[in-house]
Amino acid sequence: MRVRDGPMGKEAAMYGSGDRDWVVAARCRGVDTSMFFPQPEDGRGAVLRAERQAKEVCRSCPVIDACREHAVRTGETHGVWGGMNYAERRAFERAMKLGRLQSV
């Protein structure tokens, strides 16, 4: 597991033996999940605002790469994971398969 440098970097580095051990160091722990899983029936504006807020939390997360990799590997179709919504993760995965991006 790769960990971003930052205030939680050393703590995050302690985890990584299991598939989801990175979760304990995630910046989103304890944050309202509705921000990461906005409901379409709330309207496009509300969804965009929630995604923007979620991505702000992700930007400073020491385990953003592990989170994104988990979502892509497991085919997660809902929510913001690793700083990306579903459409962004699909585009990211396609780019990786086509060799347009380096592995994270």
Side-chain angles (χ1 to χ4, degrees):
M1 175 180 90
R2 291 190 323 176
V3 178
R4 277 192 172 182
D5 292 331
M8 292 181 67
K10 289 182 182 176
E11 177 185 348
M14 295 183 338
Y15 306 99
S17 59
D19 183 44
R20 298 239 341 178
D21 289 347
W22 54 267
V23 173
V24 296
R27 201 61 94 215
C28 61
R29 282 194 66 177
V31 174
D32 181 10
T33 57
S34 66
M35 180 190 315
F36 293 88
F37 299 95
Q39 300 303 308
E41 57 269 11
D42 292 336
R44 185 75 179 139
V47 169
L48 291 175
R49 278 190 299 281
E51 283 187 358
R52 192 169 41 250
Q53 291 172 334
K55 289 175 181 182
E56 184 62 34
V57 171
C58 293
R59 265 194 273 296
S60 62
C61 185
V63 293
I64 189 172
D65 293 336
C67 179
R68 182 184 310 118
E69 289 170 8
H70 168 79
V72 169
R73 185 176 61 255
T74 61
E76 189 63 58
T77 59
H78 300 286
V80 174
W81 292 79
M84 293 181 180
N85 64 27
Y86 177 59
E88 293 164 338
R89 288 192 304 275
R90 283 185 37 194
F92 175 80
E93 186 176 21
R94 278 192 306 274
M96 289 290 293
K97 287 179 180 176
L98 294 172
R100 294 181 181 159
L101 294 175
Q102 296 290 325
S103 181
V104 221

